Amino acid sequence: MPVLGPERRLLASLSSAPPAAPRLGLAANQTNQTGPQCLEVSIPDGLFLSLGLVSLVENVLVVAAIAKNRNLHSPMYYFVCCLAVSDLLVSVSNVLETAVLLLLEAGALAAQAAVVQQLDNVMDVLICGSMVSSLCFLGAIAVDRYVSIFYALRYHSIVTLPRVGRAIAAIWAGSVLSSTLFIAYYHHTAVLLGLVSFFVAMLALMAVLYVHMLARACQHGRHIARLHKTQHPTRQGCGLKGTATLTILLGVFLLCWAPFFLHLSLVVLCPQHPTCGCVFKNVNLFLALVICNSIVDPLIYAFRSQELRKTLQEVLQCSW
């Protein structure tokens, strides 16, 4: 994938020369050095392409459904729509990069190294920016839900459309700026530490907000149970359902994103250590998990809405 070293994949397809050193400090001597035997999971280009296409279709349907139904033109669904667009960009960059790679390897596409390098840079900015924006909109959705629960009576005065518009514009602008700086200064340790710190901050934000929301929901459930004198069954149901939901939200987030940012952390902490080299060899697996997140996000944040599912059926039936 381009964000971790387009030179290693696209430019290497233009000649039989050894691949250039990938970005983020993953030089060849780090991944091919002698050391402990490592478990390396091979991810075929065809699988990358398939995952990207599935995510592409899913997120296009989400954007189309929200655009079609005016009842979904609310702050929460605007954030969901922007998340779908971010995941869509992850998919597009993956499909384009993989398609160009396959065409170069098959000899069906003739291009100069300089042209391919420029294409690499464009896709680097695209995928890095889409990753940052995806994380930001996941955090924005958590904040929106938190405000809707703890400040229900003031929600519409706090989360206004102008404020949402400014927040969305700031997220996109910040994502483009951060991705551009990342491409320009990818060899600086501070850039990698900044990305890792950003991920940890988003994880902490989501964990705190969702745990607090779960606690409030269970407290409310116990209050209702006392009124109806059915305390124990309600408490158990609240705990099981709430814990399951929280586990899905944070579990999917960690499973899909944590390996990638662990990889970035190890690039900074132990770039030459043989054990860390074992982790570096599975970078394609970590990127595949990020793409899987783009597939799972619509299932968690969009398709659970009955209104959106109904609109989606209309979209699929072409009843515009």
Side-chain angles (χ1 to χ4, degrees), residues 4 24 131 134-135 138 192 195-204 206 248-267 269 279-280 282-283 285-294:
L4 283 176
L24 300 188
M131 283 182 173
S134 181
L135 290 172
L138 285 172
L192 302 184
L195 287 174
V196 174
S197 300
F198 172 71
F199 165 75
V200 173
M202 285 296 103
L203 174 61
M206 293 177 62
I248 292 174
L249 287 172
L250 297 181
V252 169
F253 183 80
L254 275 173
L255 178 64
C256 294
W257 288 102
F260 176 76
F261 284 96
L262 172 63
H263 165 84
L264 296 186
S265 302
L266 295 181
V267 168
L269 297 175
V279 178
F280 299 152
N282 290 287
V283 61
L285 172 62
F286 306 153
L287 289 167
L289 289 175
V290 172
I291 300 172
C292 287
N293 182 79
S294 300

Side-chain angles (χ1 to χ4, degrees), residues 145-153 209 212-217:
R145 291 182 174 181
Y146 184 86
V147 174
S148 68
I149 291 176
F150 286 87
Y151 304 94
L153 297 179
L209 294 184
H212 198 188
M213 283 186 276
L214 173 61
R216 171 59 68 90

Side-chain angles (χ1 to χ4, degrees), residues 147-208:
V147 174
S148 68
I149 291 176
F150 286 87
Y151 304 94
L153 297 179
R154 299 171 51 202
Y155 174 79
H156 293 290
S157 63
I158 296 175
V159 187
T160 62
L161 290 181
R163 287 178 178 174
V164 170
R166 288 194 293 268
I168 290 174
I171 289 174
W172 284 118
S175 299
V176 173
L177 177 61
S178 63
S179 62
T180 303
L181 292 175
F182 169 74
I183 300 308
Y185 302 102
Y186 64 87
H187 54 284
H188 288 276
T189 300
V191 173
L192 302 184
L193 292 178
L195 287 174
V196 174
S197 300
F198 172 71
F199 165 75
V200 173
M202 285 296 103
L203 174 61
L205 174 67
M206 293 177 62
V208 169

Side-chain angles (χ1 to χ4, degrees), residues 231-247:
Q231 182 173 358
H232 296 292
T234 303
R235 178 185 299 178
Q236 182 180 8
C238 169
L240 290 177
K241 184 178 179 179
T243 302
T245 302
L246 183 64
T247 300

Side-chain angles (χ1 to χ4, degrees), residues 1-119:
M1 296 297 291
V3 75
L4 283 176
E7 304 90 349
R8 180 170 55 89
R9 301 191 67 193
L10 292 183
L11 294 183
S13 301
L14 295 177
S15 67
S16 57
R23 294 184 176 169
L24 300 188
L26 281 180
N29 64 346
Q30 293 171 343
T31 55
N32 295 291
Q33 57 188 328
T34 59
Q37 291 187 349
C38 306
L39 175 62
E40 182 177 359
V41 180
S42 177
I43 306 295
D45 287 326
L47 179 58
F48 269 120
L49 189 61
S50 300
L51 291 174
L53 289 174
V54 171
S55 174
L56 181 65
V57 172
E58 270 192 343
N59 288 287
V60 165
L61 290 175
V62 171
V63 174
I66 294 176
K68 174 179 172 57
N69 191 342
R70 290 186 177 274
N71 293 331
L72 300 178
H73 293 182
S74 63
M76 181 186 71
Y77 285 105
Y78 284 149
F79 287 132
V80 171
C81 184
C82 288
L83 175 62
V85 173
S86 298
D87 291 337
L88 181 65
L89 291 176
V90 173
S91 306
V92 168
S93 61
N94 168 70
V95 170
L96 286 177
E97 195 262 351
T98 305
V100 172
L101 174 65
L102 294 176
L103 290 174
L104 288 173
E105 290 180 345
L109 180 64
Q112 297 180 351
V115 175
V116 177
Q117 179 63 66
Q118 292 300 319
L119 181 61

